[in-house]
């Protein structure tokens, strides 16, 4: 894509910036932040270290750009889900999107945000902190959407948007963890369907699920 090629000191870079960022995103998604070295990145991206620094900054900034690409691309289902007409439709789109994205044929399993967030050493702290903010922002946007649903009468007036947002976020990231652990798409979709049967979560649903499990 000619439009994505950049210029340094009047000379064009000898690589496609967009393609290189896509490869970096895939590598972070597959191995996490700490599991990827600069050598790994330059090899996967097909560029030199000076070119990486010139185009993307350091490893931290490259990861930030990769996370932005992931949010707008593979994880874009989250933003699109918020535009659904009802709260239940929002949740269904969110969960089904998580199942699809975390089990893409030929691609990394799980979620980039979850894979990297599991890192705990100081070396992974920059990415960890970015992802805390990323997850919190996602939960906040979902909470605001559920508050809108309460205001419009789509959800009961006594529904708690924050608790519902935390519930859906937890199930969504749980799907990603299970995908990374080897669960297949059908099994993950069953989890999503079970969560949808209990929307919004309430005691009546708890009783129904207990009865179902006893059959």
């Amino acid at each position: 894509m000619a439009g994505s090629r950049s210029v340094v000191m009047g000379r064009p870079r000898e690589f496609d910036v967009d393609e290189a960022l896509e490869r970096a995103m895939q590598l972070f998604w597959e191995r996490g932040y700490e599991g990827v070295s600069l050598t790994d990145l330059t090899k996967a991206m097909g560029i030199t270290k000076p070119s990486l620094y010139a185009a993307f900054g350091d490893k931290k900034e490259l990861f930030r750009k990769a996370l932005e690409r992931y949010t707008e691309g593979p994880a874009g289902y989250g933003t699109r889900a918020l535009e659904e007409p009802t709260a239940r439709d929002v949740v269904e789109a969110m969960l089904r999107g998580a199942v699809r994205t975390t089990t893409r044929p030929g691609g990394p399993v799980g979620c980039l945000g979850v894979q990297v967030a599991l890192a705990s050493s100081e070396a992974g702290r920059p990415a960890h902190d970015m992802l805390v903010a990323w997850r919190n922002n996602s939960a906040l946007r979902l909470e605001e959407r559920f508050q809108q649903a309460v205001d419009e009468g789509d959800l009961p007036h006594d529904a708690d948007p924050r608790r519902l947002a935390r519930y859906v976020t937890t199930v969504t990231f749980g799907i990603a963890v299970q995908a990374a652990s080897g669960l297949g798409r059908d099994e993950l979709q069953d989890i999503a369907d079970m969560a949808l049967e209990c929307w919004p979560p309430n005691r009546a649903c708890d009783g129904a699920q207990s009865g179902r499990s006893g059959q």
Side-chain angles (χ1 to χ4, degrees):
M1 293 182 293
S4 62
R5 294 184 183 276
S6 302
V7 175
V8 177
M9 298 180 65
R11 298 181 61 187
R13 294 188 180 124
E14 296 180 355
F15 67 94
D16 187 296
V17 174
D18 213 40
E19 181 179 341
L21 183 56
E22 174 69 20
R23 292 178 180 178
M25 181 196 75
Q26 294 286 339
L27 196 61
F28 281 128
W29 190 351
E30 180 181 353
R31 300 189 193 176
Y33 183 83
E34 294 177 75
V36 175
S37 68
L38 283 175
T39 299
D40 294 329
L41 287 165
T42 54
K43 182 177 180 180
M45 297 165 75
I47 62 178
T48 64
K49 287 184 181 180
S51 294
L52 185 151
Y53 288 126
F56 304 105
D58 58 13
K59 181 181 176 182
K60 174 183 174 182
E61 288 307 309
L62 174 59
F63 178 75
R64 187 189 304 279
K65 291 180 173 65
L67 180 60
E68 290 173 355
R69 185 179 184 87
Y70 177 78
T71 303
E72 296 170 0
Y77 66 85
T79 298
R80 294 190 296 272
L82 299 177
E83 300 173 359
E84 294 290 335
T86 69
R88 190 187 188 286
D89 290 338
V90 169
V91 177
E92 181 172 4
M94 188 80 69
L95 297 181
R96 293 187 184 280
V99 171
R100 289 194 307 272
T101 300
T102 59
T103 57
R104 298 196 310 170
V109 295
C111 168
L112 184 151
V114 172
Q115 303 286 86
V116 178
L118 297 177
S120 57
S121 75
E122 279 304 308
R125 179 58 58 181
H128 177 272
D129 291 345
M130 271 186 240
L131 289 169
V132 168
W134 182 74
R135 291 195 305 273
N136 288 343
N137 180 64
S138 297
L140 178 59
R141 294 174 66 193
L142 193 55
E143 178 185 341
E144 291 171 345
R145 178 62 183 85
F146 290 155
Q147 181 61 62
Q148 176 187 333
V150 171
D151 295 340
E152 295 175 348
D154 176 39
L155 283 174
H157 68 87
D158 59 348
D160 188 328
R162 178 171 296 182
R163 291 183 68 192
L164 292 176
R166 287 175 177 170
Y167 168 72
V168 175
T169 300
T170 298
V171 175
T172 301
F173 285 124
I175 286 173
V177 171
Q178 294 285 15
S181 299
L183 257 64
R185 179 169 292 192
D186 290 343
E187 295 169 299
L188 295 172
Q189 188 57 59
D190 185 56
I191 294 171
D193 291 342
M194 185 175 295
L196 287 167
E197 289 175 8
C198 287
W199 180 258
N202 54 52
R203 291 183 179 180
C205 182
D206 291 340
Q209 287 296 334
S210 297
R212 178 181 175 183
S213 63
Q215 293 176 356

